[in-house]
């Protein structure tokens, strides 16, 4: 197969920049030259290692069971089981159980392989169940035989029969492991063969396309007509119809069109109006112009049920839904030994306001959701109302400790809530806010909007910035007393259309008590 074929008739404009070593090839060296082969070969090797581990663990179990049976044979010879022999048998049984657990773990990795299906999978399951059962039955027979410190011929024969059953189950398990491994290898080999056939077809198609772009019927027509022409060499210039070579080494290549099956470059710069699949190069980014299609980028690991995708739509048609982002981590094998699957991790910190995520619309999960952080503040000055210290920017759960009497703290200001939620002045809201008096705290007060006079003879807390604190009896409180261990939860509600007042204070911004423990 030709690695590169092209006809040059005139000077062309350079539309792309490629620097470094370039290799053009059709895949004639076999499937090992394909990019896809590395991934497929990795899965094949992984499956073989898993099968080898299952065989090795079963071999260890066989050795442990054999050692147990050999010792039991000797201990049963005189029909009496001494205390020392019973303890020794117990140790052998513990070893068998440990190797049995190792067999179970190795089996699970092989059984959950995404490429194992059909009769081979069912056969592996049945062989494993039979093997585990034969071990348990053998141990049960031994324990039953030595329970009274004596053994009979019948009990010895029962143990011998159980051991024979184990040997048969062990052989069947090894056969099932081999069959499962072969089934996985055959499936993956089928994928690689398919990739190779597709690549070879793409090579032939690309060659014919190049020939047609140059005005020929197909590549065979180009070769035929090129053979009838003369090649002219004048100084360092070659004027010819076709260059058919295994390798072309050059410092620069100017061409209107270059079509290749595979391109390997140490340094590749793509500029101008270039395209990568359905994406256009635009400045420092890739776009799906003209922005009227469902272009997408997907990364997935089917063997471990991982999927990450963004684009116009990354859900299958069968779902009946559409989504522009999809992140799934549903690995069942704990392959990496972390005991935890995370689909997406968000972090926002070190700013005045930090939002790990923002949006509009509902949020629905088939699972638990919540936050665990809380904030603390200490009141250290008597005859003082602290304003702006318990705020939504930091948290909606506050533990307050007062080291002095006759102190207090205000509920969050309206502007603080808007900044924390990143919303405008016209947006209505309703958020929950909780204050807990710390254990052993001195008494203090929580203040909403009120007419208390400050030391400078002004009324700083009687503004629309502070919420009207209203309770369950449809009345207003200037403040609410808190003692050690008390708690208060309110809904901070802003509604610009809400009219009326309580004790002369408007109801546009209110703090409505929904729970008080004292």
């Amino acid at each position: 197969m030709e690695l590169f074929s092209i006809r040059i008739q005139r000077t062309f404009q350079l539309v792309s920049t490629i620097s470094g070593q370039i290799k053009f090839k059709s895949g004639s060296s076999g499937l090992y030259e394909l990019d896809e082969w590395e991934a497929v070969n990795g899965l094949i090797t992984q499956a073989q290692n898993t099968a080898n581990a299952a065989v090795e663990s079963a071999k260890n179990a066989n050795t442990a069971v054999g050692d147990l049976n050999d010792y039991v044979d000797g201990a049963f010879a005189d029909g009496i089981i001494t205390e020392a022999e019973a303890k020794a048998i117990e140790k052998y049984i513990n070893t068998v159980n440990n190797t049995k657990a190792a067999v179970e773990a190795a089996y699970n990795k092989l059984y959950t392989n995404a490429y194992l299906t059909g009769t081979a999978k069912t056969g592996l399951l049945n062989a494993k169940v039979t093997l585990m059962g034969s071990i348990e039955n053998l141990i049960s027979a031994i324990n039953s035989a030595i329970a009274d410190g004596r053994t009979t011929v019948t009990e010895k024969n029962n143990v011998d029969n159980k051991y024979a059953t184990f040997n048969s189950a062990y052989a069947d398990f090894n056969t099932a492991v081999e069959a499962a491994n072969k089934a996985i290898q055959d499936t993956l080999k089928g994928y690689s063969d398919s990739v190779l056939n597709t690549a070879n077809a793409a090579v032939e198609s690309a060659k014919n396309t190049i020939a047609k772009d140059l005005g020929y019927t197909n590549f065979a027509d180009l070769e035929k007509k090129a053979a009838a022409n003369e090649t002219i060499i004048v100084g360092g210039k070659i004027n010819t119809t076709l260059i058919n070579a295994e390798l072309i080494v050059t410092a620069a290549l100017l061409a209107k069109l270059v079509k290749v099956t595979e391109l390997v470059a140490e340094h590749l710069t793509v500029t101008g109006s270039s395209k990568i699949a359905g994406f256009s190069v635009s400045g420092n980014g890739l776009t799906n112009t003209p922005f009227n299609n469902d272009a997408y980028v997907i990364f997935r690991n089917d063997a471990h049920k991982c999927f990450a995708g963004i684009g116009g739509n990354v859900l299958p048609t069968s779902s009946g839904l559409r989504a522009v982002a999809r992140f799934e981590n549903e690995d069942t094998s704990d392959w990496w030994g972390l005991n935890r699957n995370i689909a997406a991790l968000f972090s926002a910190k070190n700013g005045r306001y930090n939002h790990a995520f923002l949006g509009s619309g509902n949020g629905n999960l088939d699972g638990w959701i919540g936050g665990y952080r809380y904030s603390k503040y200490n009141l250290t000055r008597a005859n003082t109302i602290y304003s702006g210290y318990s705020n939504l920017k930091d948290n909606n759960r506050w533990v307050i400790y007062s080291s002095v009497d006759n102190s207090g703290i205000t509920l969050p200001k309206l502007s603080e809530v808007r900044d924390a939620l990143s919303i405008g002045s016209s947006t209505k809201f309703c958020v929950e806010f909780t204050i807990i008096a710390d254990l052993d705290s001195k008494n203090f007060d929580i203040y909403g909007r009120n007419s208390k006079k400050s030391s400078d003879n002004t009324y700083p807390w009687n503004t629309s910035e502070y919420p009207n604190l209203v309770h369950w009896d449809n009345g207003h409180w200037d403040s609410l007393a808190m003692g050690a261990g008390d708690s208060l939860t309110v809904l901070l509600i802003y509604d610009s259309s809400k009219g009326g007042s309580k004790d002369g204070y408007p109801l546009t911004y209110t703090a409505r008590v929904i729970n008080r423990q004292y």
Side-chain angles (χ1 to χ4, degrees), residues 147-185:
D148 59 357
R150 296 180 176 275
T151 59
T152 66
V153 174
T154 301
E155 289 172 331
K156 183 180 184 306
N157 290 339
N158 184 41
V159 170
D160 290 342
N161 290 336
K162 295 298 188 295
Y163 182 63
T165 302
F166 162 78
N167 284 330
S168 176
Y170 169 67
D172 291 343
F173 180 76
N174 281 337
T175 301
V177 169
E178 293 174 4
N181 183 41
K182 184 178 185 302
I184 295 171
Q185 306 295 332

Side-chain angles (χ1 to χ4, degrees), residues 200-222:
N200 287 336
V203 170
E204 294 305 314
S205 175
K207 288 165 61 177
N208 289 330
T209 300
I210 292 172
K212 290 177 181 179
D213 289 339
L214 297 174
Y216 298 94
T217 303
N218 50 37
F219 189 77
D221 182 38
L222 185 154

Side-chain angles (χ1 to χ4, degrees), residues 61-241:
N62 181 52
T63 300
V65 171
D67 291 343
L68 170 62
N69 188 70
D70 289 344
Y71 186 84
V72 167
D73 267 351
F76 281 15
D78 60 359
I80 298 174
I81 303 299
T82 66
E83 181 178 352
E85 288 173 330
K87 289 182 177 180
I89 291 173
E90 182 180 1
K91 289 182 180 180
Y92 278 109
I93 289 177
N94 287 338
T95 301
V96 170
N97 283 329
N98 289 336
T99 59
K100 178 170 167 281
V103 172
E104 184 86 32
Y107 156 83
N108 285 336
K109 284 191 176 181
L110 182 61
Y111 184 78
T112 56
N113 189 294
Y115 302 100
L116 178 60
T117 59
T119 56
K121 189 180 186 81
T122 303
L124 180 63
L125 171 62
N126 293 336
K128 175 257 183 182
V129 171
T130 301
L131 178 63
M132 296 295 107
S134 69
I135 295 175
E136 291 169 2
N137 291 339
L138 175 60
I139 292 175
S140 177
I142 293 172
N143 284 332
S144 176
I146 67 175
D148 59 357
R150 296 180 176 275
T151 59
T152 66
V153 174
T154 301
E155 289 172 331
K156 183 180 184 306
N157 290 339
N158 184 41
V159 170
D160 290 342
N161 290 336
K162 295 298 188 295
Y163 182 63
T165 302
F166 162 78
N167 284 330
S168 176
Y170 169 67
D172 291 343
F173 180 76
N174 281 337
T175 301
V177 169
E178 293 174 4
N181 183 41
K182 184 178 185 302
I184 295 171
Q185 306 295 332
D186 289 346
T187 299
L188 291 171
K189 182 60 167 55
Y191 290 156
S192 60
D193 288 346
S194 175
V195 169
L196 178 59
N197 293 336
T198 301
N200 287 336
V203 170
E204 294 305 314
S205 175
K207 288 165 61 177
N208 289 330
T209 300
I210 292 172
K212 290 177 181 179
D213 289 339
L214 297 174
Y216 298 94
T217 303
N218 50 37
F219 189 77
D221 182 38
L222 185 154
E223 286 186 307
K224 178 180 178 183
K225 292 179 179 178
N229 293 336
E230 294 183 357
T231 297
I232 301 173
I233 302 176
V234 179
K237 177 181 179 182
I238 300 176
N239 188 356
T240 186
T241 303

